[in-house]
Amino acid sequence: MTSDVEYRRMTNEDNIRSRFAAVKDHLSERNRRLAASAEARSPETSIAEVSRATGVARSTIGRGLRDLADPSSLTGEVRRPGAGRPPLTQADPTLCDDLGKLVEPATMGDPMRPLRWVSKSHQKLSAALVELGHTISASTVAKLLVDVLGFRRQVNRKTKEGAHHPDRDAQFEHINAVATRFLALNQPAVSVDTKKKELVGDFKNGGSDYRPKGCPDLVRTHDFMDKDLGKAVPHGIYDIGANAGWVTVGVDSDTAEFAVNSLRLWWQKMGRARYPDALSLLITADGGGSNGSRLRLWKRELQNFVDETGMCVTVCHYPPGTSKWNKIEHRLFCHISQNWRGKPLSSRLAVVELIAATTTTKGLTVRCELDTRLYEKAIKVSDEEFDRLNIERDDFHPEWNYTIRPSVEPVSVGEAIILR
């Protein structure tokens, strides 16, 4: 949001720009300098603002201010149009071509490029051009890049998604269809994932927050994990129909046991009260991590959860490389990150309280709880144990879509077949 001061500055520059544009073509070089300098004499206007609005260099405006203060310094001579030193591009016709070859997008290690594996700063570009026989400074390189070649410094943009599975869109449509059926029948549909692990302690946290001027939060210079506080491992459950989130903050490893225990806590603390007549549960999850589609332990722990609750659990995994479309990412985790931006996560309690305080104008509510259990890593599930799981795989991509039923189904659970 633009502040009042910023808005006034932008409006002032626009006014100067329009006034100067109306007369500049009718003025000599000296009069253009004086007109721009006269704008800078206002106590509410700076030289930098006038320079941005008129395109006149700040040094030229400074010289014009001195001329206005001492009119005797002005001479009667005015340079005729076209007089003065010719531009470098005219005096050195090959300059732009050589500069373009230095900065053209290409593989950094290309042996044919003069600057290999080098960051293209203005100074290094000017030095490379001097070696090619040109006479040019770093400041002139900057002007040529922008005004003549049309180059701008640009950051990387994340658009490539890696491997594109041929059935990606079909899987999205399948997930949407299944979720629509569950929500229409008032059955719970949730999105699950583990958020990025966070260091607990007085460490720098990205973003900024309002503080008294000159009193920032003081944090450590190095991000070495505090052995006493460790890391926070937030695992989230986002209830799609209710727009409500549950986050379990673990202190140990992000394993399938931890992920399913987070699901169990959500059901005990929130889900069961909201869906007392639930017969089935839909879980949408990424294809990797602690809830990966090929992870045997994930399926075994879900079987234990199903046997405890008597519900059928249908799981739909997102295709490879599409985790950012998981609803929990842009409906829960992003708001948590915004809520604690610029705040050091000084303790586990701070992590829990900051997550639980997350809300949105769309009605999002979040509950959070700390899980201090330790979870063993690298647990193996044998073939015999895996074969005993009551898994019913879908005809469409059975590796991504499957339903886990209770080992011994109650009679009422059979009604959940309509949700398949």
Side-chain angles (χ1 to χ4, degrees), residues 293-415:
S293 59
R294 295 188 292 179
L295 195 60
R296 287 187 171 189
L297 185 61
W298 161 252
K299 297 180 176 68
R300 190 197 75 177
E301 292 301 313
L302 279 181
Q303 182 71 69
N304 294 336
F305 173 76
V306 166
D307 292 341
E308 294 168 11
T309 60
M311 289 190 300
C312 295
V313 171
T314 298
V315 183
C316 295
H317 291 278
Y318 284 90
T322 61
S323 60
K324 66 181 180 181
W325 275 278
N326 197 345
K327 289 189 182 296
I328 195 171
E329 294 287 349
H330 50 85
R331 291 193 180 181
L332 176 61
F333 286 167
C334 65
H335 300 301
I336 293 173
S337 297
Q338 290 177 353
N339 195 52
W340 68 23
R341 62 187 176 189
K343 299 182 179 69
L345 307 178
S346 55
S347 66
R348 294 172 179 173
L349 177 62
V351 175
V352 172
E353 293 294 337
L354 285 167
I355 292 175
T358 302
T359 58
T360 67
T361 56
K362 299 295 184 180
L364 173 69
T365 58
V366 184
R367 289 183 60 183
C368 186
E369 188 170 294
L370 187 67
D371 183 359
T372 57
R373 289 178 53 185
L374 301 181
Y375 292 92
E376 182 182 350
K377 294 193 292 186
I379 296 178
K380 303 295 183 182
V381 178
S382 64
D383 293 341
E384 295 78 8
E385 188 177 6
F386 188 73
D387 291 339
R388 290 197 296 268
L389 303 182
N390 190 8
I391 301 179
E392 180 181 322
R393 298 187 180 275
D394 197 280
D395 294 335
F396 177 73
H397 276 286
E399 75 278 16
W400 294 342
N401 308 293
Y402 49 88
T403 298
I404 301 179
R405 300 182 177 279
S407 300
V408 179
E409 291 192 18
V411 176
S412 61
V413 177
E415 302 174 13

Side-chain angles (χ1 to χ4, degrees), residues 169-286:
D169 292 343
Q171 176 66 3
F172 281 151
E173 293 175 359
H174 176 80
I175 293 175
N176 182 65
V178 175
T180 300
R181 289 202 301 271
F182 268 76
L183 295 175
L185 294 166
N186 196 31
Q187 301 295 302
V190 299
S191 172
V192 306
D193 197 12
T194 303
K195 196 179 185 299
K196 182 177 74 72
K197 300 178 180 66
E198 302 285 351
L199 289 172
V200 181
D202 51 347
F203 298 100
K204 179 178 175 59
N205 198 4
S208 61
D209 193 21
Y210 280 106
R211 297 271 300 169
K213 185 177 180 180
C215 299
D217 282 317
L218 302 181
V219 296
R220 304 187 192 189
T221 56
H222 299 288
D223 293 340
F224 296 121
M225 185 178 68
D226 188 311
K227 294 182 179 179
D228 295 327
L229 297 176
K231 292 183 178 181
V233 186
H235 184 275
I237 315 288
Y238 176 71
D239 189 332
I240 299 172
N243 190 27
W246 169 274
V247 178
T248 303
V249 178
V251 298
D252 195 35
S253 304
D254 178 24
T255 68
E257 278 189 307
F258 168 65
V260 175
N261 190 53
S262 177
L263 180 70
R264 183 179 291 109
L265 291 172
W266 165 79
W267 178 250
Q268 293 171 355
K269 303 293 180 68
M270 293 181 66
R272 184 160 51 195
R274 182 170 287 129
Y275 304 98
D277 301 323
L279 301 175
S280 297
L281 167 67
L282 172 64
I283 298 175
T284 60
D286 294 346

Side-chain angles (χ1 to χ4, degrees), residues 80-224:
R80 69 179 185 275
R85 187 172 60 183
L88 279 179
T89 53
Q90 181 179 334
D92 190 350
T94 63
L95 176 62
C96 285
D97 290 338
D98 288 342
L99 179 58
K101 292 176 182 178
L102 290 175
V103 297
E104 66 182 359
T107 304
M108 290 188 70
D110 185 352
M112 300 305 294
R113 297 186 66 198
L115 289 179
R116 290 185 298 167
W117 305 106
V118 173
S119 174
K120 296 180 288 291
S121 66
H122 299 153
Q123 289 77 11
K124 290 177 181 176
L125 287 171
S126 65
L129 288 170
V130 169
E131 291 181 3
L132 294 175
H134 303 284
T135 302
I136 190 171
S137 65
S139 59
T140 306
V141 166
K143 294 178 182 178
L144 290 179
L145 285 173
V146 174
D147 298 336
V148 180
L149 298 182
F151 277 78
R152 296 290 190 280
R153 285 199 173 274
Q154 302 181 64
V155 298
N156 304 143
R157 180 178 298 175
K158 290 185 177 181
T159 56
K160 297 182 179 180
E161 298 175 0
H164 186 106
H165 196 282
D167 290 334
R168 186 185 75 161
D169 292 343
Q171 176 66 3
F172 281 151
E173 293 175 359
H174 176 80
I175 293 175
N176 182 65
V178 175
T180 300
R181 289 202 301 271
F182 268 76
L183 295 175
L185 294 166
N186 196 31
Q187 301 295 302
V190 299
S191 172
V192 306
D193 197 12
T194 303
K195 196 179 185 299
K196 182 177 74 72
K197 300 178 180 66
E198 302 285 351
L199 289 172
V200 181
D202 51 347
F203 298 100
K204 179 178 175 59
N205 198 4
S208 61
D209 193 21
Y210 280 106
R211 297 271 300 169
K213 185 177 180 180
C215 299
D217 282 317
L218 302 181
V219 296
R220 304 187 192 189
T221 56
H222 299 288
D223 293 340
F224 296 121

